[in-house]
Amino acid sequence: METTKSLVLLCTVLAACLALAAAGWSPGTATFYGGADGSGTMGGACGYDNLYNAGYGVNNAALSTALFNDGASCGQCYKIICDRSRSGGQYCKPGNSITVTATNLCPPNYALPNGGWCGPGRPHFDMAQPAWEHIGVYQAGVVPVLYQQVKCSRSGGVRFSIAGSNYFLLVNIQNLAGSGSVAAAWVKGDKTGWIQMSRNWGANWQALSGLVGQSLSFAVTSTGGQYIQFLNVVPSWWQFGMAFSTNKNFVR
């Protein structure tokens, strides 16, 4: 009789796992950082600096290397729920979910066994504390989660923040809806053709060109495969340190 009960329980757990996998959910873990107001999460390895200005706010997370993908995941959105079926699940807030944007890297800590929660191969989210407390009880510190990448919903258009020097343009591309992240980018001055850009780090894309004094246009392909041109969005009087918003955004 006990054997039958155990087999039934095992089958139920396996069925539940298969159903979650079929629905696109994957298992991971989540901790928090940045303080009760999330202010400590500003900046980060995606280069967004002020996350409010960039369009992301405090519903953000630093991803482990297994998810960060050398910065290619910057701007992507993940829906996260606390997994009550696993060890530590007693600290979940049942029925709650939160969608966060990837804005930072959570690097391995090799002072801890296997690099800690963000060690190699571990899918982990170090979330802004206000976002994490939506799904977990503060005293736990870490909870098991289920996550899936989802489409991003943004307010307003894509934003371009400009840095660099006279012959080096560094552009942080922000506030993408749809897939949330950039697959390819181009820039064009009013005296040039389209110039292919390359990822420098995080969400920063570079062009080794002298474009000072020219109005700028950009073209972006999202990781969802959508291509948009943003024509003449930066006036010729731009300076390094400025950011310019547009009225276009992605749906995929």
Side-chain angles (χ1 to χ4, degrees), residues 32 88 91-92 132 136-143:
F32 61 84
Y91 297 106
C92 293
W132 187 93
V137 177
Y138 175 84
Q139 288 75 9
V142 60
V143 290

Side-chain angles (χ1 to χ4, degrees), residues 234-249:
V234 177
S236 60
W237 45 261
W238 65 268
Q239 296 181 9
F240 297 112
M242 289 183 169
F244 298 87
S245 297
T246 72
N247 59 6
K248 293 181 181 180
N249 217 319

Side-chain angles (χ1 to χ4, degrees), residues 3 28 81 90 151 167 195-196 227-228:
T3 302
I81 58 175
Q90 68 270 28
K151 281 190 175 183
Y167 294 95
I195 301 167
Q196 176 83 54
Y227 173 83
I228 298 179

Side-chain angles (χ1 to χ4, degrees), residues 16-25 148:
C17 291
L18 289 171
L20 287 168
W25 293 97
Q148 61 178 191

